[in-house]
Amino acid sequence: MGEEDYYLELCDRPVHFEKANPVNCVFFDEANKQVFAVRSGGATGVVVKGPDDRNPISFRMEDKGEVKCIKFSLENKILAVQRTSKTVDFSNFIPDSSQLEYTQECKTKNANILGFCWTSSTEIVFITDQGIEFYQVLPEKRNLKLLKSQNINVNWYMYCPEGAVILLSTTVLGNVLQPFYFRAGTMSKLPKFEIELPSVPKSTKLNLSERDIAMATIYGQLYVLFLRHHSRTSSSTGAEVVLYHLPREGACKKMHILKLNRTGKFALNVVDNLVVVHHQDTETSVIFDIKLRGEFDGTVTFHHPVLPARSIQPYQIPMAGPAPVTSQSPVPCKLYSSSWIVFQPDIIISASQGYLWNLQVKLQPIVNLLPDKGRLMDFLLQRKECKMVILSVCSQMLSESDRATLPVIATVFDKLNHEYKKYLDAEQSYTTALEAGQSRSSPLLKRPVRTQAVIDQSDMYTHVLSVFTEKDMPHKFVIAVLMEYIRSLNQFQITVQHYLHELVIKTLVQHNLFYMLHQFLQYHVLSDSKPLACLLLSLESFYPPAHQLSLDMLKRLSTANDEIVEVLLSKHQVLAALRFIRGIGGHDNISARKFLDAAKQTEDNMLFYTIFRFFEQRNQRLRGNPNFTPGEHCEEHVAFFKQVFGDQALMRPTTF
């Protein structure tokens, strides 16, 4: 299988730590995404590494027994270590504060601590088998203050740091889940919900394992993912992942079912809002996108994998060691190893090899694996790093070898412009609110974020359309594609930029399709604009009617008359400018010098003669004398006229 076939890969800069062995215990903290390597209970050193910080934290601590759990508070200010089932020890890592350890025992009598979670830099939650205790840590006083507690029988717990939600498994079967939400010193109890087990349990022992539950944020919403090994309906075989939406307010609701169509050992990750399901037996993975259309049965939506199952891209482990030794070839990494542990959202840890990877999605290979261009666009537009891939798909569908049909091209353009319009509307609302002064009254007013899914006209022009028009393609197809893009922009009421119209006109002129150009302008297929009018003026030598089309356009734009004159003069269309100004009856007030300057610049002596004579006649009509007055500053033009045509060519005053 070539590299272009794998759509999942492990990051190329993993966190490397000392592998787990009898002396070295490895722990992972999901909130800070840190790996702790604890040697001999900490006596011979603790090394802490995270994916972002390349500088590990190293320290020693007294060996006071086996470490069950070890985590830093957010910002690495306070270290918490659990060694017994009753207490947690704390030590400050704040500069200039006491290094002495302090201890907190759980409040509930006869309870055992299952674990703890930091919810901020100074707030911590103890989860015991009899409930939950929420504390504030006071590092200066070296003690803790109980903020709130709740008694409830707990089988196991799970923490989602992104959503700041702790999930407790309760009841004998373990399938009633009780969520708690933490924010700025407060603990809120959310409505509990029941996970539907595959079948009626035969015994009354714990039936729901924490191995089959995950929590993750997908498209900004918190979900509980339940891996159900057997479908509830006997007709369908294979496991499925059930997604329960867990809102901040209101009850938890079953929303989506991901059909795996196979059984065996599975693990879940979430990457770029995609649910990735790894299957150990076949050593492959599949991805699901809950935003893509599925089959809705009135209550839940059923989804199938977006793409065929593929393995994660083969990965080489670089050889560590002194420089001469590293020249050995890298070792292939055993993918889907039974020693892999998966954490949310996108982390895979191999404790036996000493590596922590982030799982990544590769978009380019997906282009060839998803032949339906409409569905491909729906998929790509939801991905973080999608812009260049989308533009390459657009170029590809317009290429000679992979040319798509016009309806498909239209669908793709519409999907892109739908996103583009959404962004323009959000930007417009933001600007309006800002001008209305709402930013002071509403602190929630935020400028809309421009994601990579916003493909604007300049992106399309630069990367796709201008390149495409230069290729040797049938001109009918080229024009149809350009007009399709303009149609799509108009459909979404997006103002078409003049450079797209110019591209159409240049393409039409290149193929001598003047009749089509005339029709496009006559029926306003090409929107009026000043740059377009100027372009038409420049085409007069190829296509004489372009001149009148241009003037009509400028008039429709209610362009100020003097501006039209300026445009014509700048294009050296001096007679046209004069004709225009006469047509609107403004020729008695215009500056003779401006027109004579323009005529002289054309280096056409006969044109200069005509313009000069016109103004002499105007002077005669208005003042009874053809000569220019000193205020008109035309002395140099009179001298030039005499030099070229002689004194006798000057008009004589008419006497009555």
Side-chain angles (χ1 to χ4, degrees):
M1 215 186 279
E3 198 169 299
E4 61 284 350
D5 256 353
Y6 300 104
Y7 53 78
L8 289 168
E9 63 180 353
L10 302 175
C11 66
D12 53 2
R13 292 188 66 197
V15 175
H16 183 38
F17 54 90
E18 190 178 342
K19 55 182 80 163
N21 58 43
V23 185
N24 184 54
C25 293
V26 175
F27 299 89
F28 179 64
D29 169 17
E30 290 182 81
N32 288 321
K33 315 284 182 241
Q34 289 170 328
V35 179
F36 286 73
V38 181
R39 290 180 62 85
S40 334
T44 53
V46 178
V47 179
V48 188
K49 287 185 173 181
D52 304 323
D53 40 60
R54 291 289 154 204
N55 306 326
I57 303 168
S58 300
F59 56 90
R60 286 167 190 259
M61 56 188 191
E62 215 178 307
D63 184 359
K64 294 182 178 174
E66 184 198 343
V67 172
K68 291 179 185 289
C69 184
I70 180 167
K71 293 174 188 176
F72 267 117
S73 69
L74 304 187
E75 300 166 25
N76 301 333
K77 288 197 170 155
I78 305 162
L79 178 74
V81 185
Q82 183 194 349
R83 296 184 177 94
T84 73
S85 58
K86 303 287 181 193
T87 60
V88 176
D89 302 323
F90 296 86
S91 41
N92 298 336
F93 275 68
I94 305 162
D96 308 324
S97 73
S98 164
Q99 299 294 305
L100 288 171
E101 268 196 6
Y102 44 107
T103 300
Q104 178 65 46
E105 191 173 350
C106 66
K107 293 279 187 226
T108 317
K109 275 199 165 63
N110 304 326
N112 294 311
I113 298 174
L114 302 175
F116 61 84
C117 307
W118 286 99
T119 57
S120 78
S121 55
T122 56
E123 287 161 0
I124 193 166
V125 183
F126 289 6
I127 300 94
T128 72
D129 53 5
Q130 292 180 34
I132 189 166
E133 302 173 3
F134 183 36
Y135 292 95
Q136 182 179 8
V137 184
L138 307 164
E140 319 77 43
K141 296 183 175 172
R142 294 188 22 254
N143 64 21
L144 281 77
K145 174 184 164 194
L146 182 67
L147 299 174
K148 202 169 180 184
S149 65
Q150 175 95 36
N151 289 341
I152 181 170
N153 283 337
V154 181
N155 302 305
W156 49 261
Y157 75 96
M158 188 165 281
Y159 180 45
C160 176
E162 288 77 21
V165 168
I166 290 179
L167 207 55
L168 306 180
S169 155
T170 68
T171 69
V172 179
L173 294 171
N175 66 325
V176 174
L177 300 181
Q178 173 63 66
F180 288 90
Y181 169 54
F182 296 85
R183 181 160 183 246
T186 60
M187 173 171 101
S188 318
K189 189 178 181 181
L190 303 179
K192 63 183 174 189
F193 60 99
E194 188 173 332
I195 297 279
E196 289 176 0
L197 296 169
S199 55
V200 180
K202 296 194 172 50
S203 67
T204 53
K205 65 177 200 305
L206 188 62
N207 244 288
L208 182 68
S209 155
E210 67 182 293
R211 267 207 321 272
D212 296 333
I213 294 283
M215 264 196 297
T217 303
I218 307 169
Y219 292 116
Q221 298 296 318
L222 186 59
Y223 287 90
V224 174
L225 291 77
F226 166 45
L227 180 58
R228 191 154 61 191
H229 290 278
H230 307 284
S231 170
R232 281 179 76 82
T233 54
S234 54
S235 58
S236 91
T237 56
E240 53 195 27
V241 178
V242 187
L243 268 67
Y244 293 84
H245 176 222
L246 189 56
R248 285 265 178 278
E249 275 146 26
C252 185
K253 191 170 168 230
K254 185 164 74 163
M255 301 278 285
H256 301 274
I257 293 182
L258 317 180
K259 303 296 284 179
L260 301 178
N261 302 322
R262 46 177 56 166
T263 55
K265 272 190 175 172
F266 298 98
L268 304 173
N269 275 132
V270 173
V271 185
D272 202 359
N273 292 313
L274 297 167
V275 179
V276 182
V277 184
H278 308 290
H279 187 231
Q280 202 181 356
D281 309 4
T282 56
E283 298 190 357
T284 57
S285 305
V286 286
I287 56 176
F288 293 87
D289 186 349
I290 61 170
K291 273 261 174 103
L292 289 185
R293 191 182 287 128
E295 299 147 25
F296 185 60
D297 73 352
T299 50
V300 295
T301 308
F302 292 86
H303 300 267
H304 294 279
V306 178
L307 302 164
R310 289 281 187 273
S311 162
I312 295 170
Q313 187 174 320
Y315 185 85
Q316 305 281 329
I317 291 184
M319 290 296 288
V325 188
T326 51
S327 56
Q328 297 172 28
S329 57
V331 182
C333 170
K334 170 81 179 85
L335 299 176
Y336 302 92
S337 152
S338 55
S339 70
W340 274 17
I341 310 162
V342 168
F343 291 95
Q344 297 314 320
D346 61 351
I347 285 167
I348 294 173
I349 292 181
S350 170
S352 61
Q353 290 170 309
Y355 281 98
L356 176 152
W357 293 280
N358 292 87
L359 186 65
Q360 297 169 338
V361 174
K362 294 167 66 182
L363 296 182
Q364 198 59 54
I366 294 172
V367 171
N368 302 319
L369 292 169
L370 244 183
D372 177 340
K373 289 277 189 290
R375 200 166 163 82
L376 174 64
M377 275 301 148
D378 289 339
F379 177 84
L380 290 175
L381 284 166
Q382 302 297 341
R383 309 286 72 83
K384 220 193 232 126
E385 304 285 328
C386 64
K387 180 174 264 182
M388 294 323 288
V389 180
I390 287 174
L391 291 169
S392 79
V393 170
C394 292
S395 295
Q396 187 184 334
M397 72 179 184
L398 302 180
S399 68
E400 195 69 69
S401 52
D402 282 322
R403 202 164 106 186
T405 62
L406 271 176
V408 169
I409 292 167
T411 302
V412 169
F413 286 164
D414 287 349
K415 286 182 187 295
L416 296 181
N417 289 328
H418 178 252
E419 281 298 318
Y420 180 23
K421 176 65 173 168
K422 259 191 341 197
Y423 171 73
L424 291 175
D425 287 349
E427 187 74 38
Q428 181 61 46
S429 307
Y430 171 76
T431 311
T432 311
L434 215 55
E435 284 165 0
Q438 283 176 15
S439 54
R440 286 183 291 282
S441 57
S442 162
L444 296 172
L445 189 68
K446 282 195 176 72
R447 193 184 187 120
V449 177
R450 183 177 176 146
T451 67
Q452 287 208 9
V454 179
I455 311 277
D456 64 18
Q457 297 175 61
S458 68
D459 293 325
M460 280 301 282
Y461 175 82
T462 309
H463 298 280
V464 181
L465 298 174
S466 61
V467 183
F468 160 67
T469 53
E470 283 162 18
K471 289 192 176 139
D472 189 21
M473 298 285 259
H475 63 262
K476 278 188 178 168
F477 178 64
V478 173
I479 289 156
V481 167
L482 294 176
M483 295 318 297
E484 202 51 70
Y485 185 60
I486 288 171
R487 174 215 51 84
S488 179
L489 290 168
N490 285 328
Q491 185 178 313
F492 286 99
Q493 297 171 319
I494 299 169
T495 310
V496 182
Q497 294 297 323
H498 64 84
Y499 46 76
L500 289 171
H501 289 141
E502 284 173 23
L503 196 57
V504 173
I505 291 175
K506 281 174 182 163
T507 309
L508 292 168
V509 169
Q510 203 178 334
H511 296 285
N512 291 321
L513 298 169
F514 293 111
Y515 69 93
M516 200 183 270
L517 169 61
H518 207 118
Q519 282 180 322
F520 281 176
L521 292 164
Q522 207 169 356
Y523 296 110
H524 306 297
V525 176
L526 301 174
S527 312
D528 297 346
S529 74
K530 285 175 195 167
L532 201 57
C534 293
L535 178 65
L536 286 171
L537 277 178
S538 67
L539 296 175
E540 191 180 7
S541 51
F542 306 103
Y543 182 58
H547 173 81
Q548 194 52 46
L549 289 168
S550 162
L551 287 184
D552 294 346
M553 186 179 285
L554 287 165
K555 279 182 189 166
R556 281 197 302 275
L557 286 164
S558 313
T559 313
N561 293 331
D562 52 355
E563 203 176 326
I564 294 177
V565 170
E566 290 298 337
V567 167
L568 291 167
L569 290 178
S570 70
K571 297 278 180 192
H572 303 304
Q573 308 272 330
V574 189
L575 272 177
L578 206 48
R579 260 190 239 118
F580 171 73
I581 211 83
R582 278 185 72 176
I584 58 164
H587 53 294
D588 287 354
N589 306 318
I590 53 174
S591 152
R593 182 183 169 182
K594 181 188 280 185
F595 277 78
L596 290 167
D597 278 346
K600 193 176 172 190
Q601 276 174 6
T602 63
E603 297 177 357
D604 177 344
N605 288 345
M606 284 322 293
L607 174 68
F608 184 81
Y609 182 90
T610 310
I611 301 293
F612 193 88
R613 182 65 84 225
F614 170 82
F615 282 108
E616 280 187 318
Q617 287 167 345
R618 184 186 76 164
N619 293 345
Q620 175 70 42
R621 185 167 47 81
L622 295 177
R623 294 198 296 269
N625 189 323
N627 296 336
F628 292 94
T629 62
E632 289 180 281
H633 305 294
C634 291
E635 295 78 8
E636 65 170 297
H637 297 301
V638 174
F640 178 73
F641 186 89
K642 285 181 185 173
Q643 180 194 327
V644 178
F645 303 106
D647 279 10
Q648 69 284 0
L650 286 168
M651 210 175 139
R652 298 280 170 260
T654 316
T655 49
F656 294 102

